[in-house]
């Protein structure tokens, strides 16, 4: 049964409100998301460029740790290290700072800095504690790149260094390496950067850098020559020893300059090519561009004569030897008796105060032809007795036989005369031939016969001498015996005369007694003279005159 409800009991009408679909709590992750996106954008917009560097090995490199530096400032970090596809090297991915992106030139240089000890010095000691890092040297090429090939060692000259690049070449047996010095008057002014061997030309080329401001010394007439170690040259002028700096004694090196007598020339502004000469003398020869060539036909030995030996005229060097026995000839000609060895020589007009051009050559040829008719001759002479080196000497010999001008393989011939050494040899040979012609066997037989006769004569003389000596000895013994007997007889007679009973003894005894008496009688007088030396001359009245006893006795006998 339904029961009506009163109005007071009816329910109130519900108020309908819209429901919120998103909670406020979601604002936190949304804000965090926007912050993250902003940080990613900021990091992406401010990060540098990724570059790839190819190394041969990755010694000491670590992803996330190894840094990239230039001028000791961090500019990047290694992100990844992996092998190349062909396994020929290592690809290192590096994230660079945004600020250095504009300087990633295509010619930038990268290398690993680690402790290094060489003849040039010690480097990279700071990496002993911090570990190796990659160094970058900015280039100057306008082209940009993100792929690079690293160097095996630090570059000798970083790109952009002020100075001049030149290329040196050598056909000689020189051995230079990267980093060898270029010295000027004892100062290191450059280094060898790179070495390249041309197989077609078979010439070694050395890319070399001359530092500023010394690069201004390089001109069109500049010559380079070797100063490696200790150089000793044995030539016709004697022994020459030369050295460079202490560094070139330990390694190798070159120097440069303008030979004496040459103009300075124009300054070099771009890469040029220069030859490396063995020494200064060879470099100085380059200033003489023209020469008149002749051939001399040598009949003597050419031992000691070398290519490059000087050609002198009255002691002045006027040229050099160009070749020895290099002209076309057959082996049969060489083996023929009396074969003349061709030696090609040059006479340089610049050495005899003539213009170094075709006009100077014409003057030399004309003058030489005239002098040959007047006795102009060539000869080989010894320049140094120690080395035995020879040189070509040109002199005038008025008494030389007439020579008819001739050509040999297109060269004008300068006649030769026998050298001084050959003259001495021929004289010695003549003396030896004369000695060989002497019949030494006959001389030996005659000498043996004469010696035998002398020996027999000597024996005869010895026998005669012995006989004479025996005779003299017997005669001498007989005389001595008779003389000794006579002497003994005289001594016996003398002894008998002085015996006690002889008259002689008695007379001698009487004489001695008389003498003794006389001495006793003179004794008083002697005593007076001893006390008063003047008593015999002066007397006084008191004194009595001493009269010898004998005188008194005679006086007394008279008074009687």
């Amino acid at each position: 049964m339904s029961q009506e409800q009163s109005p007071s009991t009816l329910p109130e009408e519900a108020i309908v409100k819209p429901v919120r679909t998103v909670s406020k709590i979601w604002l936190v992750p949304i804000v965090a998301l926007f912050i993250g996106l902003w940080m990613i954008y900021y990091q992406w917009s401010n990060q540098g460029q990724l570059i790839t560097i190819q190394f041969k090995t990755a010694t000491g490199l670590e992803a996330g740790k190894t840094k990239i530096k230039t001028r000791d400032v961090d500019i990047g970090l290694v992100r990844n290290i992996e092998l190349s596809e062909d396994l020929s090297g290592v690809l290192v991915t590096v994230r660079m700072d945004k600020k250095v992106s504009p300087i990633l030139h295509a010619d930038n240089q990268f290398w690993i800095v680690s402790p290094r000890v060489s003849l040039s010095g010690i480097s990279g000691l700071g990496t002993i504690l911090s570990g190796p890092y990659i160094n970058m040297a900015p280039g100057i090429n306008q082209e940009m790149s993100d792929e690079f090939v690293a160097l095996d060692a630090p570059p000798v000259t970083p790109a952009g260094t002020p100075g001049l690049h030149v290329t040196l070449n050598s056909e000689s047996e020189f051995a230079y390496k990267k980093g060898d010095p270029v010295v000027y008057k004892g100062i290191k002014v450059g280094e060898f950067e790179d070495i390249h061997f041309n197989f077609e030309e078979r010439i070694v080329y050395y890319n070399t850098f001359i530092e500023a401001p010394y690069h201004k010394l390089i001109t069109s007439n500049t010559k380079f020559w070797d100063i490696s170690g200790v150089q000793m040259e044995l030539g016709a002028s004697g022994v020459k020893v030369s050295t460079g700096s202490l560094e070139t004694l330990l390694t190798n090196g070159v120097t440069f300059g303008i030979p004496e007598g040459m103009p300075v020339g124009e300054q070099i502004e771009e890469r040029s090519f220069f030859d490396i000469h063995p020494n200064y003398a060879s470099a100085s020869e380059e200033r003489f561009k023209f020469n008149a060539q002749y051939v001399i036909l040598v009949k003597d030995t050419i031992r000691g004569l070398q290519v490059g030996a000087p050609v002198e005229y009255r002691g002045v060097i006027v040229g050099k030897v160009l070749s020895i026995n290099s002209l076309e000839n057959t082996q049969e000609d060489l083996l023929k008796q009396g074969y003349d060895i061709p030696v090609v020589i040059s006479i340089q007009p610049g050495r005899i105060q003539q213009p170094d051009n075709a006009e100077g050559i014409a003057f030399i040829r004309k003058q030489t032809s005239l002098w040959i008719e007047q006795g102009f001759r060539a000869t080989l002479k010894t320049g140094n007795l120690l080395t035995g080196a020879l040189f070509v000497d040109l002199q005038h010999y008025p008494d030389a036989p007439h020579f008819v001008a001739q050509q040999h393989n297109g060269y004008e011939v300068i006649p030769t005369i026998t050298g001084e050494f050959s003259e001495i040899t021929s004289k010695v040979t003549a003396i030896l031939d004369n000695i060989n012609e002497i019949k030494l066997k006959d001389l030996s037989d005659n000498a043996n016969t004469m010696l035998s006769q002398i020996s027999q004569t000597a024996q005869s003389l010895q026998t005669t001498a012995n006989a004479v000596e025996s005779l003299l000895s017997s005669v001498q013994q007989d005389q001595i015996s008779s003389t000794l007997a006579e002497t003994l007889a005289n001594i016996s007679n003398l002894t008998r005369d002085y015996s006690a009973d002889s008259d002689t003894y008695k007379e001698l005894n009487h004489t001695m007694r008389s003498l003794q008496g006389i001495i006793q009688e003179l004794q008083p007088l002697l005593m007076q003279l001893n006390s008063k030396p003047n008593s015999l001359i002066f007397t006084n009245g008191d004194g009595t005159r001493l009269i010898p006893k004998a005188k008194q006795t005679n006086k007394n006998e008279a008074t009687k």
Side-chain angles (χ1 to χ4, degrees):
M1 148 178 150
S2 63
Q3 187 176 354
E4 293 183 0
Q5 296 178 351
S6 61
S8 58
T9 61
L10 292 175
E12 296 179 358
E13 186 176 357
I15 299 174
V16 179
K17 296 182 178 181
V19 180
R20 296 177 178 176
T21 58
V22 178
S23 176
K24 293 180 179 180
I25 195 65
W26 289 103
L27 294 176
V28 175
I30 291 174
V31 172
L33 177 61
F34 276 103
I35 292 175
L37 292 175
W38 178 82
M39 292 180 65
I40 293 174
Y41 172 77
Y42 181 82
Q43 181 68 22
W44 176 80
S45 63
N46 286 278
Q47 71 179 355
Q49 184 178 352
L50 278 175
I51 63 172
T52 302
I53 307 174
Q54 183 177 354
F55 292 88
K56 287 187 176 180
T57 61
T59 304
L61 302 182
E62 295 183 25
K65 292 184 178 181
T66 303
K67 298 179 179 180
I68 311 297
K69 295 184 179 183
T70 182
R71 300 183 183 275
D72 289 334
V73 177
D74 296 343
I75 59 173
L77 185 67
V78 174
R79 292 299 184 185
N80 185 35
I81 302 175
E82 61 182 2
L83 291 173
S84 60
E85 294 181 358
D86 57 358
L87 302 180
S88 61
V90 178
L91 298 179
V92 178
T93 303
V94 179
R95 173 68 70 180
M96 304 296 293
D97 292 346
K98 184 178 181 179
K99 294 181 180 180
V100 299
S101 296
I103 62 172
L104 294 178
H105 303 284
D107 59 344
N108 282 10
Q109 297 173 327
F110 295 86
W111 68 93
I112 298 176
V113 178
S114 59
R116 185 182 301 271
V117 179
S118 64
L119 293 175
S120 301
I122 301 175
S123 61
L125 293 181
T127 60
I128 295 178
L129 299 178
S130 62
Y133 64 89
I134 299 175
N135 200 1
M136 183 189 79
I140 58 176
N141 196 333
Q142 298 299 324
E143 183 181 354
M144 310 302 289
S145 178
D146 59 358
E147 295 182 355
F148 303 91
V149 178
L151 303 176
D152 297 335
V156 176
T157 306
T161 303
L164 177 66
H165 290 272
V166 297
T167 300
L168 308 180
N169 61 83
S170 172
E171 298 180 357
S172 302
E173 299 295 331
F174 298 136
Y176 302 103
K177 63 180 183 300
K178 184 183 297 185
D180 283 346
V182 177
V183 180
Y184 181 76
K185 296 187 181 300
I187 302 174
K188 181 180 177 181
V189 299
E191 289 182 339
F192 286 85
E193 291 185 317
D194 189 23
I195 303 172
H196 173 69
F197 179 74
N198 190 311
F199 285 91
E200 295 180 357
E201 300 177 357
R202 297 188 178 184
I203 297 177
V204 182
Y205 291 95
Y206 301 93
N207 294 325
T208 308
F209 182 77
I210 308 299
E211 302 173 358
Y214 303 102
H215 70 287
K216 297 179 180 179
L217 300 173
I218 308 300
T219 67
S220 57
N221 287 333
T222 297
K223 306 298 179 184
F224 289 80
W225 62 90
D226 178 69
I227 54 170
S228 303
V230 178
Q231 298 179 339
M232 180 178 293
E233 180 182 357
L234 299 176
S237 300
V239 181
K240 295 182 180 179
V241 180
S242 59
T243 61
S245 63
L246 178 61
E247 187 174 2
T248 59
L249 287 176
L250 301 177
T251 58
N252 292 321
V254 298
T255 187
F256 62 90
I258 300 175
E260 184 179 358
M262 291 188 66
V264 176
E266 299 179 358
Q267 183 178 342
I268 300 298
E269 300 292 344
E270 57 185 10
R271 182 184 292 271
S272 301
F273 290 83
F274 296 91
D275 295 329
I276 302 178
H277 300 278
N279 47 50
Y280 173 77
S282 177
S284 181
E285 286 286 337
E286 293 297 320
R287 71 179 187 268
F288 304 112
K289 303 296 183 181
F290 293 84
N291 61 76
Q293 298 182 4
Y294 295 88
V295 67
I296 61 174
L297 303 176
V298 182
K299 301 180 181 297
D300 307 325
T301 176
I302 59 171
R303 184 178 181 85
L305 184 65
Q306 299 179 353
V307 174
V311 176
E312 298 184 2
Y313 171 69
R314 299 173 61 185
V316 178
I317 297 178
V318 297
K320 61 182 178 179
V321 175
L322 299 180
S323 66
I324 301 174
N325 197 33
S326 62
L327 302 180
E328 295 182 0
N329 53 57
T330 61
Q331 190 68 17
E332 295 179 356
D333 292 335
L334 182 62
L335 298 178
K336 285 183 178 180
Q337 185 177 4
Y339 170 75
D340 296 337
I341 301 176
V343 177
V344 179
I345 65 173
S346 67
I347 300 178
Q348 299 162 321
R351 290 185 178 273
I352 57 175
Q353 300 179 354
Q354 294 296 320
D356 192 23
N357 50 30
E359 182 181 351
I361 294 179
F363 173 82
I364 289 178
R365 293 194 180 281
K366 180 179 179 181
Q367 189 69 33
T368 302
S369 299
L370 178 62
W371 280 358
I372 288 176
E373 297 178 358
Q374 299 175 356
F376 188 66
R377 301 292 184 267
T379 183
L380 298 183
K381 289 189 176 182
T382 303
N384 186 273
L385 295 177
L386 178 63
T387 62
L390 301 178
F391 68 95
V392 178
D393 184 56
L394 302 176
Q395 291 286 352
H396 295 277
Y397 297 90
D399 298 334
H402 179 69
F403 178 80
V404 179
Q406 61 180 1
Q407 299 280 331
H408 182 84
N409 284 5
Y411 294 93
E412 186 177 353
V413 177
I414 296 179
T416 60
I417 61 174
T418 304
E420 54 185 6
F421 182 77
S422 298
E423 291 180 357
I424 295 174
T425 304
S426 61
K427 292 179 180 180
V428 172
T429 303
I431 294 173
L432 294 177
D433 292 340
N434 292 333
I435 293 175
N436 290 332
E437 293 177 358
I438 298 175
K439 298 180 179 180
L440 297 179
K441 189 175 184 304
D442 295 341
L443 290 177
S444 178
D445 295 340
N446 295 335
N448 290 333
T449 303
M450 183 177 65
L451 291 175
S452 176
Q453 295 175 354
I454 291 174
S455 178
Q456 294 175 0
T457 303
Q459 291 179 356
S460 301
L461 291 175
Q462 183 66 28
T463 303
T464 304
N466 292 336
V468 171
E469 183 178 1
S470 176
L471 178 61
L472 292 176
S473 176
S474 61
V475 170
Q476 187 175 8
Q477 290 179 359
D478 293 343
Q479 289 181 349
I480 290 174
S481 299
S482 60
T483 303
L484 182 59
E486 184 178 355
T487 302
L488 292 175
N490 293 332
I491 292 174
S492 177
N493 294 332
L494 182 61
T495 303
R496 285 196 300 270
D497 290 340
Y498 285 94
S499 62
D501 296 335
S502 63
D503 296 337
T504 304
Y505 176 76
K506 292 178 179 180
E507 292 178 358
L508 183 60
N509 191 16
H510 182 266
T511 302
M512 294 298 293
R513 288 179 180 179
S514 299
L515 183 60
Q516 185 176 5
I518 294 171
I519 292 173
Q520 289 178 356
E521 291 176 355
L522 292 175
Q523 185 174 4
L525 178 60
L526 294 175
M527 292 177 62
Q528 181 179 355
L529 292 175
N530 186 26
S531 60
K532 294 181 180 181
N534 59 353
S535 61
L536 294 178
I537 302 174
F538 303 100
T539 59
N540 52 20
D542 297 336
T544 59
R545 178 179 297 179
L546 294 177
I547 300 174
K549 293 180 179 181
K551 190 68 178 177
Q552 289 181 350
T553 303
N554 294 332
K555 186 177 179 181
N556 293 331
E557 290 179 355
T559 56
K560 290 179 179 181

